[in-house]
């Protein structure tokens, strides 16, 4: 049962997230019936399964909210800001109840729930008949097909005897019962209805063709007719078995349907087919089949086509729920496998054994596929994170008395699950900054000739093996001069330095910088921009600011798609191997002893008439031994500037499975992890931005 | 029980239209009554207009009598028109009973079938 409870909780959290998104959208388009139904459905599911798995408090509370939304759904109430506010509060309470359900958090006070319910009840318009609290089953039963069971489509020909009505049966009630079983189309056949002169008005002269898609089985259909079994002709055929046998979305041709039903003989059908005109028209023209029967058959054709099309959509959307740890384990194992495979390839290459080489190649191919697939599984659309921010923006702008709209783009962009999780805090911080310091109050905006409503735009887009996330606001922008002055005051830059906008803006990422100036302060939120920067660095991403005074700020975060495996450049110093992320590497050039002499002790190289500073890693890492005659500079781009790293040899590109260094080495600066090479030895992964920063700080200290 | 009341009203002079205003239940207990009223109407007028706005209940007998009347009208070369099919009671019943359709029946040569359109 615990597993079920867990599954319910996971589902409920997802539904709550969806609920939040829907509610916020609903606030903008209160008339959208689709959204109202979505809110209702989410509530209904949370309530229904909550009761099933023993979350009684949630079920009881949600029921109250659902009741209100049922009224909205039925048009007896309209969506107001108050309603959205209260429902959002209710959502938070449900989440609180979920959090607390296993003793994980403080239980929600009953008083809070009562307040919300009382508030909701106040919104309900007075009903003279007191019918407001009545519960209505959702979807009329038709849509409530249980998940996981196959829906089968039946053709039912129901021919009641003429006396059936006189015997007290109402055929329409039977049809209504059928309708309860599933998606259903009914066609009455009135051909036998006599004229007034001949009719016995109390007899039933109509018979029916019903096309029904249901997962309840044929017995449920028979049960509908159980009381008039002897008083009617009933023929039930399976016309679509739920996709067990067929794969084709098309359904039978009209002629075959009519022939199957016994409304047309095969001979007639073939004779007509020979004429090559629209089959149904011809049949009617020739008077072989009545137009009603043709129509009924056409409806069957259309119904099954729709059912099959819908099923194809559903099948492609079907998914299973797997705990994230299992995926992490899988990715870890794949990582190990990639490492072992590298060893195998290396071993095979070292032996002149053709068979072994073939096997190694095969293993390599499969491993690569497996790696890509495993990494893909962890990809999630970033949209869920975006929708959380919608709430943040809404609440914060109300709090600050600003009018801010948040727009998003590229919510479907996929990123590694871990990256998304770790991205949350930096994004929250950046968005807060935009709202708090970027966007002005409505009156200030109006005075500056801007629309009173400010906009924060959050967008995600793929770019090569990275994802770009941009936060754009149309606020007042960064104050370049104030930042510069502060930088000089703090000794971060010389007073005479000629700096580009980019260099000046990057000052706000310096530790402790943010607290003092009013332009960039984050007003005691506890974290500064340096924390954001560090979090993005930890994700091996980069952050970039563009800002124009008066018009707004654009912050661009560039992130790698995944954290588990990276493309990298393998280099060697002495007998040790090191790894640089390929994404920052621009080129490799040679460095001779003569070049070093010409630079007169400064670590500068001239590459195509451009001066590039470099860091001699052998020196920095205190690696003993003699450096080779010709060394290599690996030139990287860090935060817009080119910096070289001098190594002995460049070995080549490498698929690096990242391993963490372990707790012992947690505080080591300049290394972001390690990887195991094909021969079993360990190579350290260089933290390029950190190394550059360290050297810069040392030089400034001098 | 509302019962069934049918009021007749003649409109216009020559080639007059007979309006049958139907109030109450078009259900089996009153099927005979409705049938007779329709037949009588055709005996008198060239054009019969059945107004169903006041119908409060309808079952299969009521629905099929409308079809039947339509057929009789053809047989007698008279005209039948129906008003008030948008009455929710009728709409729901016609939909449930599968009376709504795209094309009329074989008898419907003049394409005046009252059930065309409004298909679910």
């Amino acid at each position: 049962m615990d597993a079920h409870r867990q599954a319910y909780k996971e589902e409920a959290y997802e539904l709550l997230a969806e609920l939040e998104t829907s509610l916020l959208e609903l606030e903008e388009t209160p008339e959208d019936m689709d959204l109202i139904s979505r809110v209702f459905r989410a509530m209904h599911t949370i309530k229904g399964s909550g009761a099933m798995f023993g979350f009684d408090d949630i079920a009881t509370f949600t029921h109250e909210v659902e009741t209100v939304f049922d009224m909205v759904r039925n048009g007896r109430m309209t969506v107001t800001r108050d309603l959205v506010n209260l429902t959002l509060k209710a959502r938070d309470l449900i989440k609180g109840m979920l959090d607390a359900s296993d003793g994980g958090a403080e239980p929600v006070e009953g008083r809070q729930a009562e307040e919300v319910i009382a508030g909701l009840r106040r919104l309900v318009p007075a009903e003279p008949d007191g019918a407001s609290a009545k519960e209505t089953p959702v979807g009329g039963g038709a849509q409530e097909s249980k998940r996981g069971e196959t829906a089968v489509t039946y053709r039912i020909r129901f021919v009641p005897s003429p006396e059936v009505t006189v015997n007290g049966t109402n055929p329409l009630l039977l049809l209504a019962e059928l309708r309860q079983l599933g998606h259903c189309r009914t066609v009455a056949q009135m051909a036998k209805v006599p004229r007034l002169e001949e009719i016995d008005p109390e007899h039933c002269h109509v018979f029916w063709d019903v096309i029904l898609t249901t997962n309840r089985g044929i017995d449920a259909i028979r049960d509908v007719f159980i009381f008039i079994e002897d008083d009617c002709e009933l023929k039930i055929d399976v016309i679509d078995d739920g996709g067990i046998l067929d794969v084709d979305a098309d359904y039978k041709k009209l002629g075959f349907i009519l022939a199957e039903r016994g409304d047309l003989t095969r001979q007639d059908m073939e004779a007509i087919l020979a004429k090559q005109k629209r089959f149904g028209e011809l049949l009617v023209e020739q008077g072989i089949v009545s137009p009603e029967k043709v129509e009924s058959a056409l409806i069957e054709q259309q119904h099954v086509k729709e059912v099959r099309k819908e099923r194809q959509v559903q099948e492609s959307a079907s998914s299973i729920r797997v705990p994230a740890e299992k995926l992490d384990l899988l990715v870890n194992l794949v990582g190990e496998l990639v490492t072992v495979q590298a060893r195998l390839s290396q071993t095979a290459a070292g032996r002149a054994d053709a068979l072994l080489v073939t096997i190694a190649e095969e293993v390599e191919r499969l491993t690569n596929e497996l790696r890509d697939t495993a990494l893909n599984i962890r990809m999630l659309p970033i949209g869920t994170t975006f929708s959380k921010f919608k709430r943040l923006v809404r609440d914060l702008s109300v709090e600050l008395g600003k009018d801010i709209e948040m727009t998003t783009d590229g919510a479907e962009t996929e990123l590694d699950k871990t990256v998304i999780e770790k991205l949350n805090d930096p994004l929250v911080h950046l968005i807060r900054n935009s709202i708090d310091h970027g966007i002005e109050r409505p009156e200030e905006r109006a005075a500056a000739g801007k629309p009173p409503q400010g906009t924060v735009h959050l967008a995600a887009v793929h770019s090569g093996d990275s994802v770009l996330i941009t936060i754009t606001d149309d606020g007042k922008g960064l104050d370049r001069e104030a930042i510069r002055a502060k930088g000089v005051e703090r000794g971060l830059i010389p007073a005479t330095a000629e700096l580009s906008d980019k260099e000046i803006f990057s000052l706000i990422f310096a530790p402790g910088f943010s607290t003092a100036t009013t332009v960039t302060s984050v007003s005691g939120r506890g974290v500064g921009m340096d924390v954001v920067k560090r979090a993005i660095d930890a994700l091996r991403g980069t952050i970039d600011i563009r800002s124009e005074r008066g018009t707004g700020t654009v912050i661009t975060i560039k992130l790698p798609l995944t954290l588990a495996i990276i493309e990298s450049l393998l280099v060697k110093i002495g007998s040790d191997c090191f790894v640089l992320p390929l994404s920052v590497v621009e080129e490799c050039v040679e460095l001779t002893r003569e070049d070093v002499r010409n630079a007169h002790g400064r670590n500068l190289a001239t590459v195509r008439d451009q001066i590039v500073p470099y860091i001699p890693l052998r020196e920095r890492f205190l690696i003993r031994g003699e450096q080779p005659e010709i060394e290599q500079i690996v030139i990287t781009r860090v935060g817009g500037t080119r910096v070289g790293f001098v190594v002995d040899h460049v070995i080549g590109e490498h698929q690096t499975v990242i391993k963490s260094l372990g707790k012992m080495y947690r505080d080591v600066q300049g290394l972001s992890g390690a990887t195991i090479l094909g021969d079993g030895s360990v190579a350290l992964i260089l933290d390029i931005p950190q190394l550059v920063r360290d050297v810069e700080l040392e030089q400034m200290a001098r | 029980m509302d019962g069934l009341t049918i009021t007749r009203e003649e409109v216009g002079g020559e080639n007059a239209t007979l309006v049958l205003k139907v109030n109450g239940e078009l259900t089996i207990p009153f099927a005979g009554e409705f049938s007779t009223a329709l037949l009588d109407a055709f005996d008198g007028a060239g054009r019969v207009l059945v107004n169903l706005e006041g119908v409060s209940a309808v079952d299969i007998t009521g629905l099929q009598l409308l079809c039947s009347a339509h057929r009789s009208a053809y047989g007698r070369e008279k005209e039948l028109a129906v008003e008030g099919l948008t009455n929710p009671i009728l709409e729901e019943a016609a939909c449930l009973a599968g009376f709504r359709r795209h094309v009329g029946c074989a008898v419907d040569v003049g394409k005046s079938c009252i059930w065309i359109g409004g298909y679910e």
Side-chain angles (χ1 to χ4, degrees):
Chain A
M1 200 59 191
D2 262 350
H4 291 302
R5 275 177 75 96
Q6 198 49 43
Y8 165 71
K9 279 179 78 173
E10 278 172 33
E11 194 191 1
Y13 280 126
E14 270 171 37
L15 284 168
L16 287 174
E18 193 192 309
L19 190 62
E20 189 170 43
T21 323
S22 308
L23 282 169
L24 293 172
E25 281 176 45
L26 196 58
E27 195 170 24
E28 282 156 32
T29 49
E31 308 276 278
D32 192 334
M33 279 319 283
D34 236 28
L35 279 172
I36 295 169
S37 310
R38 240 157 67 195
V39 170
F40 181 81
R41 272 202 305 273
M43 290 283 184
H44 188 75
T45 315
I46 292 170
K47 180 190 85 172
S49 4
M52 205 186 297
F53 296 113
F55 294 87
D56 292 335
D57 52 340
I58 295 178
T60 322
F61 177 61
T62 315
H63 172 75
E64 298 286 342
V65 190
E66 184 200 343
T67 310
V68 174
F69 261 85
D70 188 38
M71 299 186 68
V72 179
R73 204 172 56 131
N74 295 332
R76 307 221 299 273
M77 233 176 107
T78 49
V79 177
T80 57
R81 212 183 163 86
D82 283 346
L83 178 66
V84 173
N85 276 336
L86 279 167
T87 317
L88 279 172
K89 249 185 228 162
R91 184 214 90 105
D92 293 347
L93 284 179
I94 297 171
K95 187 163 175 294
M97 291 176 189
L98 271 178
D99 290 341
S101 62
D102 291 337
E106 289 284 302
V108 174
E109 284 175 49
R111 188 179 45 82
Q112 284 176 290
E114 277 162 28
E115 270 172 24
V116 171
I117 291 171
L120 283 171
R121 287 204 177 133
R122 272 196 293 277
L123 295 178
V124 174
E127 292 261 335
D129 55 359
S132 64
K134 227 184 269 171
E135 197 194 344
T136 320
V138 69
Q143 271 80 39
E144 269 202 314
S145 54
K146 280 177 209 141
R147 242 181 276 163
E149 283 173 39
T150 333
V152 176
T153 306
Y154 299 92
R155 174 205 299 140
I156 304 152
R157 178 159 285 188
F158 165 48
V159 188
S161 72
E163 298 80 27
V164 71
T165 34
V166 188
N167 296 345
T169 306
N170 182 347
L172 298 193
L173 287 181
L174 301 176
L175 294 170
E177 266 183 64
L178 273 186
R179 199 158 275 242
Q180 294 289 321
L181 294 179
H183 179 38
C184 171
R185 287 188 196 212
T186 314
V187 181
Q189 298 284 6
M190 291 98 112
K192 288 190 199 152
V193 176
R195 307 193 324 182
L196 286 174
E197 293 79 358
E198 297 110 40
I199 198 168
D200 181 337
E202 291 179 359
H203 279 183
C204 177
H205 306 278
V206 180
F207 67 94
W208 284 271
D209 287 323
V210 181
I211 310 297
L212 170 70
T213 304
T214 178
N215 51 15
R216 304 280 291 276
I218 195 162
D219 288 341
I221 301 173
R222 290 198 187 284
D223 284 351
V224 170
F225 299 99
I226 201 158
F227 297 112
I228 57 157
E229 254 173 8
D230 305 327
D231 231 357
C232 74
E233 263 177 62
L234 189 65
K235 191 164 170 258
I236 307 175
D237 296 311
V238 174
I239 51 173
D240 180 86
D241 51 20
I244 302 163
L245 296 173
D246 57 84
V247 283
D248 198 357
D250 271 342
Y251 188 56
K252 289 169 202 146
K253 293 264 193 286
L254 177 60
F256 287 96
I257 300 174
L258 286 166
E260 248 184 49
R261 293 173 170 210
D263 291 339
L264 173 72
T265 63
R266 294 226 168 226
Q267 287 81 358
D268 283 341
M269 178 176 84
E270 272 150 31
I272 293 287
L273 270 178
K275 297 198 176 170
Q276 288 299 323
K277 234 175 117 182
R278 277 191 72 176
F279 189 75
E281 284 168 24
L282 281 169
L283 283 175
V284 175
E285 259 174 41
Q286 308 254 328
I288 298 170
V289 182
S290 72
E292 293 159 292
K293 286 184 173 157
V294 172
E295 168 142 4
S296 173
L298 280 170
I299 282 168
E300 171 178 335
Q301 196 179 35
Q302 196 194 348
H303 181 99
V304 175
K305 267 189 197 165
E306 276 169 20
V307 167
R308 291 189 177 169
K309 210 164 126 194
E310 198 176 310
R311 183 166 60 231
Q312 280 182 341
V313 173
Q314 274 174 2
E315 273 169 7
S316 60
S318 70
S319 61
I320 59 165
R321 198 178 287 274
V322 178
E325 303 94 76
K326 280 194 185 172
L327 281 186
D328 291 345
L329 186 65
L330 175 70
V331 171
N332 268 338
L333 285 173
V334 170
E336 304 275 347
L337 188 65
V338 170
T339 310
V340 175
Q341 174 265 316
R343 284 183 73 175
L344 176 65
S345 297
Q346 203 169 335
T347 312
R351 301 184 187 193
D353 186 336
L355 184 62
L356 183 61
V357 171
T358 324
I359 295 172
E361 277 171 5
E362 189 79 343
V363 173
E364 184 175 348
R365 189 178 61 76
L366 289 173
T367 314
N368 285 347
E369 259 177 56
L370 184 61
R371 180 200 63 212
D372 292 347
T373 317
L375 290 180
N376 241 324
I377 295 175
R378 287 160 51 105
M379 294 300 206
L380 286 179
I382 199 167
T384 45
T385 314
F386 278 10
S387 54
K388 262 192 263 169
F389 297 142
K390 273 213 153 145
R391 178 80 186 270
L392 175 80
V393 171
R394 180 184 183 276
D395 292 355
L396 214 59
S397 52
V398 171
E399 200 179 297
L400 295 170
K402 295 181 181 177
D403 185 8
I404 301 172
E405 186 199 23
M406 169 144 171
T407 53
T408 58
D409 218 351
E412 71 290 343
T413 310
E414 290 192 330
L415 254 176
D416 191 287
K417 178 181 145 293
T418 332
V419 179
I420 291 186
E421 279 163 10
K422 292 189 176 159
L423 197 58
N424 189 52
D425 291 350
L427 283 182
V428 167
H429 191 75
L430 291 171
I431 292 170
R432 268 193 173 148
N433 264 358
S434 285
I435 298 172
D436 204 354
H437 306 294
I439 293 179
E440 314 90 329
R441 291 176 179 283
E443 55 276 12
E444 283 173 58
R445 292 181 63 88
K450 291 182 184 181
Q453 189 182 49
T455 315
V456 175
H457 183 72
L458 196 57
V461 67
H462 276 288
S463 155
D465 64 346
S466 317
V467 169
L468 297 180
I469 296 170
T470 51
I471 302 154
T472 314
D473 69 59
D474 62 350
K476 57 178 174 247
L478 294 178
D479 186 344
R480 189 192 140 103
E481 290 318 310
I483 297 171
R484 190 194 157 90
K486 198 77 206 166
V488 173
E489 185 192 316
R490 292 202 141 239
L492 293 169
I493 45 166
T496 52
E498 290 281 329
L499 295 176
S500 65
D501 282 359
K502 207 170 178 170
E503 283 164 314
I504 288 181
F505 294 151
S506 68
L507 286 175
I508 67 172
F509 292 121
F513 190 90
S514 48
T515 48
T517 138
T518 50
V519 189
T520 57
S521 88
V522 287
S523 61
R525 294 274 181 207
V527 275
M529 287 292 268
D530 58 320
V531 178
V532 171
K533 171 82 172 144
R534 243 183 289 147
I536 301 295
D537 281 350
L539 291 168
R540 281 198 318 286
T542 56
I543 184 163
D544 179 60
I545 304 179
R546 278 182 297 131
S547 180
E548 205 161 310
R549 196 91 184 108
T551 42
T553 308
V554 183
I555 296 174
T556 308
I557 298 170
K558 187 178 175 188
L559 290 167
L561 278 178
T562 171
L563 281 184
I565 296 179
I566 55 163
E567 290 286 339
S568 59
L569 189 71
L570 190 62
V571 299
K572 205 164 185 180
I573 305 169
S575 56
D576 293 323
C577 286
F578 295 90
V579 168
L580 292 89
L582 201 60
S583 55
V584 298
V585 174
E586 289 212 328
E587 60 179 322
C588 300
V589 295
E590 289 183 349
L591 179 73
T592 60
R593 294 223 170 146
E594 199 190 335
D595 293 334
V596 177
R597 270 195 301 278
N598 291 344
H600 302 293
R602 284 174 303 170
N603 291 336
L604 295 171
T606 313
V607 181
R608 291 190 296 276
D609 296 332
Q610 293 266 312
I611 292 187
V612 179
Y614 61 75
I615 300 168
L617 287 179
R618 178 180 274 274
E619 212 173 280
R620 184 147 194 92
F621 293 157
L622 305 175
I623 296 169
R624 280 183 216 151
E626 190 66 13
Q627 68 228 56
E629 197 61 33
I630 300 171
E631 292 174 288
Q632 305 286 330
I633 311 176
V634 180
I635 299 176
T636 62
R637 184 170 284 276
V638 182
T641 51
R642 276 153 65 87
V643 179
F645 289 85
V646 181
V647 300
D648 289 1
H649 305 286
V650 172
I651 297 173
E653 281 183 36
H654 185 256
Q655 276 277 342
T656 298
V657 181
I658 299 171
K659 301 268 169 203
S660 68
L661 283 172
K663 280 184 192 151
M664 285 278 282
Y665 303 100
R666 196 170 39 191
D667 296 327
V668 172
Q669 300 267 301
L671 297 175
S672 59
T675 187
I676 301 165
L677 299 177
D679 62 1
S681 63
V682 171
L684 296 171
I685 302 169
L686 302 180
D687 183 349
I688 303 293
Q690 184 62 44
L691 281 169
V692 173
R693 241 187 335 258
D694 285 354
V695 173
E696 277 173 354
L697 285 176
E698 281 167 28
Q699 287 195 334
M700 256 185 269
R702 255 178 231 159
Chain B
M1 277 235 182
D2 297 354
L4 179 70
T5 45
I6 300 173
T7 49
R8 293 162 57 113
E9 188 192 340
E10 247 169 284
V11 182
E14 262 175 68
N15 208 0
T17 298
L18 181 66
V19 181
L20 284 190
K21 202 157 167 41
V22 184
N23 276 298
E25 297 174 76
L26 282 187
T27 47
I28 190 164
F30 310 102
E33 202 178 313
F34 185 37
S35 176
T36 319
L38 287 166
L39 258 180
D40 289 351
F42 282 122
D43 282 342
R47 185 166 183 270
V48 176
L49 176 67
V50 184
N51 184 316
L52 300 169
E53 272 157 20
V55 170
S56 59
V58 64
D59 68 4
I60 184 62
T61 60
L63 292 174
Q64 73 184 6
L65 275 173
L66 289 171
C67 266
S68 181
H70 190 220
R71 281 168 198 190
S72 288
Y74 269 109
R76 297 172 170 219
E77 296 187 335
K78 298 206 169 171
E79 206 183 317
L80 173 77
V82 176
E83 261 182 7
L85 276 173
T86 47
N87 175 346
I89 306 266
L90 270 161
E91 267 197 338
E92 202 190 321
C95 187
L96 182 63
F99 269 51
R100 294 274 176 213
R101 54 207 51 230
H102 296 296
V103 290
C105 61
V107 188
D108 184 30
V109 195
K111 309 259 181 259
S112 59
C113 172
I114 60 171
W115 306 118
I116 292 177
Y119 199 81
E120 55 176 309

